[in-house]
Amino acid sequence: MVTRTAQERRNDEKQTYDAYLAACPARKLLDEVSGKWVSLILVALGDGPQRYSDLSRRIAGVSQKMLTQTLRALERDGLLTRTVTPCVPVRVDYELTDLGRSLLRLVAGIKEWAETHFDEVDAARDGYDARSAAVTIGADGEG
């Protein structure tokens, strides 16, 4: 009888992942890594290791709670490392792992796309809203 390792079983399971299925673990991972805070943290860490306070200042609007939760989740998923340097005060640095850098390439591209094409999207939204308002209200002013 041939005993298979846990890694061999996981490799076989990878071929069966289908994020379109509600129960698929890849779907949960996709949901986790596609959040705005995850994207912004990964892109910020693409510039190199940073301290918590640096990330907090750089990413406008993120609460302390959300930043902490997101950093912990990224560390758990193996996308970043957290290094504590014992000094006064204690220094904590966050840095992307190789796995995190592989995801960075994708989310940095999405961030750049959003910055480049925002005006086009905004114009499309305005046009849609104008057409939708005309359809909802109607030409005679009744809804």
Side-chain angles (χ1 to χ4, degrees), residues 50-51 54 83-93:
Q50 294 188 42
R51 297 173 78 172
D54 296 331
T83 305
V84 179
T85 305
C87 58
V88 178
V90 172
R91 180 183 173 109
V92 180
D93 291 290

Side-chain angles (χ1 to χ4, degrees), residues 37 41 52 56 59-70:
W37 301 126
I41 289 169
Y52 181 95
S56 180
I59 303 170
V62 66
S63 68
Q64 182 178 350
K65 178 183 176 183
M66 227 27 249
L67 181 57
T68 299
Q69 286 178 347
T70 306

Side-chain angles (χ1 to χ4, degrees), residues 69-89:
Q69 286 178 347
T70 306
L71 288 168
R72 285 181 183 161
L74 292 171
E75 182 181 11
R76 181 175 184 261
D77 289 342
L79 300 174
L80 62 79
T81 58
R82 179 180 183 265
T83 305
V84 179
T85 305
C87 58
V88 178

Side-chain angles (χ1 to χ4, degrees), residues 29-30 32-35 38-39 42-43 74 77-80 96-111:
L29 179 59
L30 180 62
E32 291 172 5
V33 299
S34 62
V38 168
S39 299
L42 289 175
V43 174
L74 292 171
D77 289 342
L79 300 174
L80 62 79
L96 293 177
T97 62
D98 288 342
L99 186 61
R101 280 188 285 281
S102 71
L103 181 56
L104 168 65
R105 287 189 283 277
L106 299 170
V107 297
I110 293 170
K111 175 188 168 284

